[in-house]
Amino acid sequence: MAPKVSEEYKQQKKTELLQAAKQVFIKKGYTNATMQDILDEAGVSRGALYAYFDNLEHVYIELLRYEDQQDILCFTPDDERTSWQQIISWLDKQRMQIKQIDQSLLVANSEFFLSVRENKAGYPYISDRYQRLVEVLIAFIQAGAERGDLAPRFPRDSIARYLISFIDGLMLDTAHLGQDKTNVDEQCDLLLFSLKEMLRPVAAEEKP
């Protein structure tokens, strides 16, 4: 009788496989990667990989889910920082990832997002992903408004969609054209300026 495997162990193993897959996708992109590449990178048996993932698209969707969760954590209300400080921190992270395109999933993301237009099997996740991020941002802006460090002047859902579209667009353009053409630093500075106008962060000394 095979020994029971704990949920904690299975989650840890899945995370390790996703990290191996991430390295493959960074090096080869999405369209040129194979399950065999992930097997070789992870150093596991075929059965061990397929116990967690059905195919390459499944691996990538789970990797996106994992990466998205890291972004969602950035928008968890933090008692030690204002909402605006959290936004700046998150945007700095996005800026760095976009500028370090060779060490990120930007090219693979671009290929994957384009591929789901032809293969509708992955489309429900893309749609759900977008809606979930919108909801996370709306909740974050709402929490900032309630604790008095944001005073948004536009509907929260409009600001959330604007932020997602801006970052996704800059990422895709940079993946295809390179950061010299998209001028990442200037674009991120403009985004920060526009967000400040939309969200109107309240300095500590200005709070009632």
Side-chain angles (χ1 to χ4, degrees):
M1 183 176 179
K4 289 185 177 180
V5 178
S6 70
E7 286 300 320
E8 182 180 354
Y9 172 85
K10 288 192 288 186
Q11 188 57 51
Q12 179 182 347
K13 192 63 181 177
K14 182 178 179 180
T15 299
E16 290 173 0
L17 291 172
L18 288 174
Q19 291 304 318
K22 181 176 181 177
Q23 294 308 308
V24 170
F25 291 127
I26 288 173
K27 288 183 283 189
K28 305 193 72 170
Y30 176 72
T31 55
N32 290 325
T34 65
M35 292 293 273
Q36 186 61 50
D37 292 327
I38 298 173
L39 284 173
D40 294 340
E41 181 73 25
V44 298
S45 68
R46 191 174 186 84
L49 181 61
Y50 280 90
Y52 293 90
F53 309 107
D54 299 330
N55 50 42
L56 196 69
E57 183 180 273
H58 186 199
V59 175
Y60 207 84
I61 287 176
E62 289 299 311
L63 179 58
L64 276 179
R65 201 186 303 275
Y66 176 82
E67 294 285 306
D68 289 343
Q69 187 58 35
Q70 308 313 301
D71 278 339
I72 288 171
L73 291 174
C74 292
F75 292 108
T76 301
D78 185 343
D79 291 336
E80 296 182 0
R81 296 181 296 169
T82 66
S83 301
W84 184 242
Q85 288 171 332
Q86 287 183 253
I87 290 171
I88 292 174
S89 177
W90 177 81
L91 185 56
D92 284 343
K93 176 185 172 185
Q94 303 307 305
R95 185 196 305 254
M96 187 62 64
Q97 288 180 346
I98 297 172
K99 291 176 71 174
Q100 296 178 338
I101 190 169
D102 294 336
Q103 302 170 42
S104 75
L105 289 167
L106 284 186
V107 171
N109 281 347
S110 173
E111 293 173 349
F112 178 76
F113 291 147
L114 289 174
S115 76
V116 296
R117 296 181 63 183
E118 300 172 3
N119 177 12
K120 296 298 183 182
Y123 187 77
Y125 174 72
I126 300 302
S127 177
D128 291 345
R129 173 182 182 263
Y130 178 83
Q131 188 57 40
R132 187 170 67 256
L133 290 175
V134 167
E135 291 170 359
V136 166
L137 287 168
I138 290 173
F140 175 78
I141 296 169
Q142 178 66 31
E146 289 175 355
R147 68 182 189 177
D149 59 13
L150 295 178
R153 61 192 302 179
F154 295 98
R156 293 157 179 74
D157 66 315
S158 297
I159 298 173
R161 294 176 198 280
Y162 169 82
L163 178 55
I164 294 170
S165 296
F166 192 108
I167 288 294
D168 282 354
L170 184 57
M171 285 183 170
L172 288 174
D173 285 346
T174 304
H176 289 292
L177 303 173
Q179 62 172 302
D180 291 338
K181 286 194 177 294
T182 56
N183 202 340
V184 174
D185 277 328
E186 182 180 272
Q187 292 299 303
C188 286
D189 288 344
L190 286 172
L191 174 59
L192 195 61
F193 175 83
S194 61
L195 285 175
K196 191 171 186 179
E197 292 297 307
M198 294 177 188
L199 293 169
R200 294 186 298 182
V202 180
E205 61 271 15
E206 297 176 7
K207 289 184 180 182

